[in-house]
Amino acid sequence: MSIPFQLNGRPVSFDGPEDAPLLWVVREHFGLTGSKFGCGIGMCGACTMHVDGAPIRTCVLAVGNVRGRAIRTIEGVAADADNAVRKAWNDLDVPQCGYCQSGMIMTATALLAETPAPTDQDIDRWMTNLCRCATYVRIRQAIHAAAAARQHKS
Amino acid sequence: MGRRRFLEVAAAFGALLAVPLDPAVAARDGAAAEADIELTDWIFIDAQGGVTLGLCQPEVGQGSYTALPAILAEELDADWPAVKVRWVMGRDAYKIQFRNEKPSQKEGASTSTTKFYARLRVAGAAARDVLVRAAAARWQVPVSDCATESGMVRNTRTGDTLPYGALAAEAARLPLSPAPRLKTPAEFRLIGKALPRRDTAAKTDGSAKYGLDAEVPGMLNAAIALSPTIGGWLVRINNEAEIRQQPGVRAIVRLDDGVIVVAERYWQALRAVQMLDATFSPGENGGLSTELIDRLAESGLDAEIGVTALARGDAPRILGQNPDQVIESRFSVPHLAHAAMEPMNATVHVQPDRVDVWGSIQSTDASVAVISKISGVAEEKVHLHIGFLGGSFGGKIAPDFVAQAVRAAMAVGRPVKLIRTREMDIQHDHFRPNNKGRLRAVVDRDGYPVAVHARVCGQSLFATTRPNWLTKTPLGDYDESMVDGIYNQSYEIPHFHVDVIQTPLPIPVYFMRSVGSSAGVLFWESFITDLAHKAGIDQYQYRRHLLRNNPAALKVLDAVAAAASWDTPPPAGTVRGISFDTYHGRGGSFVTYVAEIVELVRKGDSWRVARVFCAIDAGLVVNHNTFIAQIQGGIGFSLTSALKSEITFNRGGAEQSNFADYPLLSIGEMPEVVPIVVESDRPPQGVGEIMVAPLAPAISQALLHATGRRPDRMPFRAEVFKASA
């Protein structure tokens, strides 16, 4: 049975079982490999995508749940040249190994959509993604920088 | 041709190259593509004039992808923003040597920049030199009339320019100079600056390719289940027919110690492997437990005699004669897992006359040897394709996951990508070994140590992984990594005895960022804390006194104290701890000095690590941007171990398996980090591991001030941070 949804603004359809995890459907069937596999239990956040704008851990999300919904991945965010989060990430050279950073950017983008000027406490609460290189100092700086850039613009 | 000429030149620079060079060894994969003109082993110029720089040290996050090409580009005077970087392998020029092992291409021990700095400068300068001579010949002017900048040669009299691409063919025919002129530091445009990373954009738009992202036509995907006990073996699969019927499943591959399920898609393999019902024999280690491991190490601490690693003066006698005055402390650290964010994986394509492997691999040549052995394909026909590594910290040096992927690919006769689940990645890691320490001292009237006996007991990393690295003594062999940061520490101790007792264990262990010093420096610096505390002397001044004849060490210690305003008492609700380490690179490859100050701030009824000052003298800093990043991230990495990480064993296997029971630091727990770069005239020394070890003892010292108790066992759980009422 076919499961239609939007992937980075494009209508797509998955012909396969409802319980296939969205992460692997996007990586293996649609070839977008920017979202990563880290823990398989929804803890580390390397697989984070937006489902109707909300940051979701997709390694544990069955694709049947996103029928008709809008999925956005890091590739979709990167296509938006105006994305202040990604720009701040680049300006501050946040990544080290970089493996968790797609998920970090997805979560941070959703945070700023919800809370345009987050405090450090807001960041601590939202950014539960894990980074083994511990790039957290620059992640925090980048979120504040992106928030400032967005406010300056609006 | 270019390569052979460079080897001749390089041979003339034998002093700079630790590696014996053998021009007869064929390049394994032809680092140069067909269309490239090769100027040295590292520098390739294509028909359109594009400059490609070779990178032989994998990018695991540390910044090798930027810093190493920058050294080449500096001496070459390349157009830095325009150059390309390409993974290269298979040549002697790319090999390094640790201790007495044979030279090989690999990465580790914080040595990428240290070992390649001189080599890359010579390679860049030699290429620049032939380009200049080619231009001079073209213009028929003396070489002294030619200057270089941003990928072109300029005629300083006429102002004419020629891009490197237009000169490459002629330059490649000229003999390389045996002694090209190197730049003076004043001429540097890249080295010593804060260069943006070259891999950032790809790592923020999803396009950076890791091992996980390898895609080979016709590829199948595999998941693995390994014996829950160390050394256990597969007896039978109880539901094989059921597994075979699962959607997408193509094959079940039996290993001695596990089962690989191969399917069309990875999630199908994953699902099938989770349904697997297999019986394993526990083997002879079924009784292994942390309780047993601890008892073994504890009894070693009190053994009559250990294998002596250092005997200066007559410490045992002095301690024996003054039993009432002996100050003693004991410490303990557990096994740890590397837990890089990218789980171990490899994609293997075996053909009759070649094997291709894509993967997150830190040890290039060791993996090639394993792949060749299993596949029966000659080493020179094994091609590794290494992209970015999603972290490693030493964990992706051990090639067992590569070997498993090769077996799967051979069994099904198609390319296979094997990805370990997080559970397999942690439970079947090669762990940082456990260790216990007992330190005993007699002090003088002022409270400074006269005689110290340090003993470390635990599982030996070298005995398990590198037996030929053990140091031989008449009383047996010892593993210097077990006493790193102790036997080679910098304080003045008149009588100093260090010995080691190994407790052999069947547990697979491996190098992990900062290796033995992550235990040794905790033991040593915590003990110094105890001595200073007993003497009633300020912790900074106590260390200053012990380093009074070591100006290089004092410079770093003083730098961190100044940055943290140590001499000004902290505000109420803040306590500090200070620590110091001289990090000796493996086999004497480098010396880096590091000092840290931790500030704990009281929040409610608990103390929290709020700020960390870290001063490092690692000689010349090639890229300040990634140097600072290593300090920031290394502190967070170390804090994870200090607060959270512990692998325990029960019934013969590791008990932890994912981030729920092997948690990582979160952003809310990350302290502010103040990096202090102490510059010196020395060439680049190691950086990546150096900031890790001193953090835990600085925290434990601060806790002593805060709570009156100094924890002696890692990790420091939440209860030791509870404020006293």
Side-chain angles (χ1 to χ4, degrees):
Chain A
M1 201 164 88
S2 164
I3 301 164
F5 59 95
Q6 270 203 6
L7 183 57
N8 294 325
R10 189 168 55 93
V12 296
S13 183
F14 172 63
D15 293 311
E18 300 248 338
D19 63 347
L22 180 63
L23 170 67
W24 293 103
V25 170
V26 168
R27 284 182 57 89
E28 296 190 316
H29 295 262
F30 297 108
L32 299 182
T33 56
S35 310
K36 304 302 185 196
F37 171 61
C39 67
I41 58 171
M43 269 199 79
C44 77
C47 61
T48 304
M49 300 177 198
H50 293 174
V51 178
D52 289 342
I56 302 290
R57 310 271 161 106
T58 60
C59 68
V60 288
L61 181 68
V63 65
N65 292 313
V66 302
R67 183 184 299 276
R69 294 179 187 270
I71 306 301
R72 200 171 178 223
T73 68
I74 185 67
E75 289 87 353
V77 165
D80 169 12
D82 288 340
N83 185 287
V85 172
R86 188 174 168 252
K87 184 173 182 311
W89 244 250
N90 288 347
D91 290 346
L92 288 162
D93 257 351
V94 173
Q96 290 186 25
C97 92
Y99 193 80
C100 72
Q101 300 294 348
S102 297
M104 290 285 181
I105 290 170
M106 297 310 290
T107 308
T109 301
L111 163 63
L112 292 188
E114 185 101 345
T115 312
T119 62
D120 280 335
Q121 290 70 36
D122 293 331
I123 292 172
D124 292 349
R125 267 198 303 273
W126 261 82
M127 300 299 295
T128 55
N129 301 40
L130 299 175
C131 174
R132 183 60 158 149
C133 305
T135 58
Y136 298 127
V137 168
R138 295 192 189 191
I139 288 173
R140 188 183 298 283
Q141 289 170 351
I143 292 171
H144 286 309
R150 287 170 90 242
Q151 296 209 312
H152 186 72
K153 227 171 173 179
S154 59
Chain B
M1 178 184 82
R3 171 178 164 270
R4 205 172 308 124
R5 283 187 297 103
F6 181 62
L7 290 178
E8 287 159 14
V9 174
F13 276 78
L16 291 171
L17 300 164
V19 179
L21 297 160
D22 177 6
V25 176
R28 188 144 47 219
D29 73 343
E34 283 302 312
D36 285 341
I37 297 163
E38 176 180 330
L39 295 184
T40 73
D41 284 306
W42 309 94
I43 296 170
F44 314 98
I45 300 183
D46 67 27
Q48 286 72 45
V51 173
T52 297
L53 303 178
L55 173 71
C56 65
Q57 298 292 94
E59 170 63 66
V60 298
Q62 84 282 44
S64 64
Y65 190 74
T66 304
L68 297 180
I71 298 167
L72 284 167
E74 177 70 79
E75 293 290 353
L76 179 63
D77 262 342
D79 181 8
W80 175 241
V83 301
K84 293 199 187 80
V85 175
R86 180 165 74 210
W87 169 249
V88 293
M89 64 174 288
R91 295 186 178 182
D92 288 342
Y94 310 147
K95 295 181 177 180
I96 55 176
Q97 186 172 24
F98 289 99
R99 295 179 54 108
N100 52 3
E101 69 181 14
K102 95 177 200 263
S104 69
Q105 187 173 359
K106 58 149 69 175
E107 176 172 74
S110 297
T111 54
S112 289
T113 305
T114 306
K115 296 230 184 221
F116 284 96
Y117 181 66
R119 226 185 280 189
L120 295 176
R121 287 187 69 192
V122 171
R128 177 186 167 279
D129 179 67
V130 287
L131 289 161
V132 166
R133 282 191 277 141
R138 178 91 68 92
W139 287 323
Q140 297 192 317
V141 299
V143 163
S144 57
D145 284 357
C146 298
T148 52
E149 62 191 43
S150 300
M152 60 180 82
V153 183
R154 188 165 49 82
N155 183 325
T156 53
R157 288 189 191 276
T158 65
D160 291 346
T161 58
L162 281 167
Y164 285 173
L167 294 163
E170 291 150 71
R173 284 193 289 272
L174 295 172
L176 291 174
S177 163
R181 191 187 82 84
L182 300 179
K183 286 187 179 178
T184 63
E187 295 173 280
F188 287 162
R189 294 170 206 182
L190 301 173
I191 293 173
K193 308 289 186 281
L195 299 175
R197 294 181 68 110
R198 298 186 63 93
D199 50 355
T200 293
K203 287 176 173 178
T204 62
D205 69 6
S207 67
K209 294 293 178 216
Y210 298 82
L212 188 86
D213 308 321
E215 187 69 46
V216 184
M219 178 181 89
L220 297 172
N221 289 277
I224 187 168
L226 290 163
S227 161
T229 48
I230 292 162
W233 60 84
L234 176 67
V235 176
R236 64 177 171 274
I237 301 171
N238 301 310
N239 60 344
E240 183 161 349
E242 186 191 5
I243 298 296
R244 282 190 191 283
Q245 283 162 16
Q246 292 310 305
V249 170
R250 289 305 193 89
I252 295 174
V253 182
R254 285 184 163 72
L255 306 176
D256 292 343
D257 60 346
V259 179
I260 299 171
V261 177
V262 184
E264 287 288 328
R265 303 293 187 183
Y266 183 67
W267 60 269
Q268 295 169 328
L270 192 58
R271 192 146 298 177
V273 94
Q274 282 160 351
M275 292 178 61
L276 185 76
D277 174 13
T279 302
F280 290 91
S281 164
E284 60 190 10
N285 305 318
L288 184 74
S289 69
T290 288
E291 196 200 336
L292 182 68
I293 293 165
D294 273 351
R295 262 210 316 267
L296 270 173
E298 196 66 48
S299 64
L301 286 184
D302 293 321
E304 193 77 15
I305 192 164
V307 180
T308 303
L310 179 74
R312 182 164 70 226
D314 203 359
R317 186 183 54 82
I318 296 169
L319 289 159
Q321 284 173 353
N322 300 278
D324 302 342
Q325 293 168 42
V326 170
I327 300 168
E328 177 178 310
S329 302
R330 290 173 181 239
F331 306 93
S332 180
V333 301
H335 285 84
L336 298 179
H338 296 81
M341 292 309 298
E342 181 186 20
M344 295 175 205
N345 66 81
T347 302
V348 178
H349 188 195
V350 180
Q351 299 174 77
D353 56 344
R354 66 180 282 156
V355 182
D356 289 86
V357 176
W358 296 257
S360 289
I361 295 167
Q362 200 183 331
S363 59
T364 313
D365 282 358
S367 295
V368 167
V370 166
I371 294 160
S372 169
K373 194 171 165 204
I374 297 172
S375 66
V377 173
E379 287 193 16
E380 58 270 19
K381 292 176 178 163
V382 173
H383 303 262
L384 293 192
H385 309 272
I386 298 186
F388 295 114
L389 272 72
S392 180
F393 314 107
K396 287 165 182 162
I397 301 177
D400 56 337
F401 63 99
V402 180
Q404 287 154 356
V406 174
R407 291 186 198 286
M410 290 178 69
V412 300
R414 278 174 67 174
V416 169
K417 183 197 288 184
L418 176 89
I419 306 169
R420 284 198 182 180
T421 59
R422 175 57 56 190
E423 287 79 9
M424 289 296 122
D425 182 273
I426 288 183
Q427 225 159 8
H428 295 277
D429 191 17
H430 292 241
F431 304 98
R432 196 282 308 266
N434 72 309
N435 257 332
K436 287 187 189 294
R438 185 195 71 179
L439 289 94
R440 310 177 79 224
V442 168
V443 298
D444 64 18
R445 231 174 318 161
D446 298 322
Y448 292 103
V450 173
V452 175
H453 178 191
R455 168 171 291 177
V456 173
C457 183
Q459 185 175 6
S460 163
L461 170 65
F462 288 0
T464 316
T465 65
R466 299 275 193 282
N468 61 339
W469 284 18
L470 291 168
T471 308
K472 308 225 174 299
T473 82
L475 279 178
D477 303 343
Y478 74 89
D479 172 351
E480 67 172 21
S481 80
M482 291 176 67
V483 283
D484 261 343
I486 300 177
Y487 86 103
N488 50 10
Q489 63 82 36
S490 294
Y491 300 135
E492 276 186 37
I493 316 279
H495 301 270
F496 192 25
H497 191 91
V498 180
D499 59 18
V500 181
I501 292 179
Q502 290 181 32
T503 52
L505 293 171
I507 298 168
V509 291
Y510 227 78
F511 299 80
M512 181 164 156
R513 193 179 192 178
S514 88
V515 196
S517 73
S518 57
V521 174
L522 172 80
F523 302 170
W524 183 247
E525 278 294 287
S526 302
F527 187 57
I528 295 296
T529 291
D530 291 352
L531 298 183
H533 186 66
K534 278 217 159 47
I537 299 171
D538 174 82
Q539 296 283 352
Y540 164 46
Q541 293 303 332
Y542 193 87
R543 285 166 172 77
R544 279 204 104 247
H545 178 80
L546 295 175
L547 293 170
R548 60 195 176 281
N549 296 314
N550 189 337
L554 278 180
K555 196 171 154 191
V556 174
L557 187 67
D558 289 346
V560 81
S565 306
W566 181 272
D567 290 330
T568 309
T574 299
V575 292
R576 298 188 186 123
I578 188 168
S579 65
F580 173 82
D581 178 36
T582 305
Y583 195 107
H584 295 263
R586 188 69 56 216
S589 50
F590 64 83
V591 175
T592 298
Y593 304 95
V594 53
E596 295 178 11
I597 288 175
V598 164
E599 284 180 355
L600 304 185
V601 170
R602 186 168 172 166
K603 212 175 165 192
D605 63 351
S606 237
W607 295 88
R608 169 178 187 279
V609 180
R611 187 155 65 155
V612 177
F613 298 82
C614 176
I616 293 184
D617 169 1
L620 174 77
V621 174
V622 171
N623 184 358
H624 278 255
N625 176 28
T626 45
F627 183 85
I628 298 295
Q630 283 297 291
I631 294 178
Q632 294 166 329
I635 294 297
F637 183 89
S638 180
L639 191 55
T640 306
S641 300
L643 302 183
K644 293 169 181 281
S645 309
E646 180 171 30
I647 293 290
T648 56
F649 296 87
N650 197 14
R651 295 170 196 273
E655 294 188 290
Q656 292 71 26
S657 64
N658 206 321
F659 297 131
D661 50 16
Y662 193 75
L664 302 184
L665 198 77
S666 65
I667 196 169
E669 296 167 303
M670 182 73 199
E672 184 188 336
V673 178
V674 183
I676 300 127
V677 183
V678 180
E679 297 252 24
S680 73
D681 296 335
R682 301 183 299 145
Q685 310 290 302
V687 176
E689 305 176 271
I690 280 52
M691 68 300 293
V692 174
L695 184 72
I699 293 172
S700 81
Q701 183 189 107
L703 282 168
L704 175 65
H705 300 317
T707 67
R709 299 178 307 274
R710 179 191 50 68
D712 55 10
R713 186 181 187 90
M714 293 255 274
F716 306 151
R717 298 289 185 191
E719 49 272 19
V720 306
F721 287 86
K722 285 269 175 271
S724 26

